[in-house]
Structures are given as C-alpha cells and as structure tokens.
Amino acid sequence: MKFQLVDPCYCVTTDLTYHKNAIYDGVHALYPDVSINVHRYYFEIKDESSEFISKLSQINREIAVRDPYLNSLFKLYPTKVNNHIIISPLLFKHKK
C-alpha cells in the first residue's frame, strides 16, 4: 500500500528518503511488525490491509511528531468517513 504527500507541490520537491527515520518510527509506533519501503516521492507499507487507510490520520500524526519539516506540511484534505466527506488535516494520503 503506497502513500504520498497530500500537497502535490511538495510531492515533487520533498525527497522522503531524507525523512525515512521519522516515517519508519512513526509507522512502527502503531504497527511494529510491518515492512516499510521509503522511496523519493512516496513510502509503502508491505501489507494490503485496509486498516492502514482507516488509521491514516493517526499514522500521519505519529510521523509528524518525529519530523518538524513534515509536520509543517500538514494540509486540510477531504476524506470519506462512513459515507460522509469530512475535511481533516493530513500529511500523507493513499496513492492509488
């Protein structure tokens, strides 16, 4: 399952490999046994569970508290929850 930054401007200018420790630590804080690959423009969790999408805001927060630069990139983004669209602050979104 792949995740990219919400803001497309930062997708191109932010090299996530420089922030891999924050990404690893943030995801492993919630899911200690998953395998993670960090690429330049996205990271992927080597598990196809839909649980990651439902917990994405929590994963975002765990990553952001570990990296001040990524924390500064939070952006309001519309997400669908129980057939309702809500606007919530996100850092990463699911890359389809």
Side-chain angles (χ1 to χ4, degrees):
M1 193 163 286
K2 296 177 182 178
F3 300 92
Q4 68 183 31
L5 289 168
V6 169
D7 190 328
C9 297
Y10 293 113
C11 285
V12 178
T13 60
T14 301
D15 185 344
L16 293 178
T17 59
Y18 291 113
H19 306 279
K20 65 183 174 188
N21 290 331
I23 295 169
Y24 288 143
D25 294 345
V27 175
H28 284 145
L30 299 171
Y31 303 100
D33 298 326
V34 298
S35 177
I36 304 162
N37 290 329
V38 178
H39 303 274
R40 186 169 183 184
Y41 301 121
Y42 67 94
F43 74 92
E44 66 183 313
I45 298 174
K46 294 292 192 172
D47 189 326
E48 292 301 319
S49 171
S50 61
E51 180 181 349
F52 298 115
I53 295 174
S54 66
K55 300 280 187 179
L56 188 55
S57 64
Q58 195 174 359
I59 293 170
N60 280 310
R61 284 192 300 273
E62 288 292 336
I63 293 171
V65 298
R66 290 165 169 78
D67 190 303
Y69 176 74
L70 291 178
N71 190 39
S72 72
L73 301 183
F74 261 97
K75 184 175 177 94
L76 292 177
Y77 188 75
T79 56
K80 189 174 185 179
V81 176
N82 297 331
N83 292 326
H84 298 299
I85 302 293
I86 60 169
I87 306 295
S88 59
L90 286 179
L91 176 60
F92 291 99
K93 65 180 180 178
H94 181 233
K95 180 181 177 183
K96 298 177 182 174

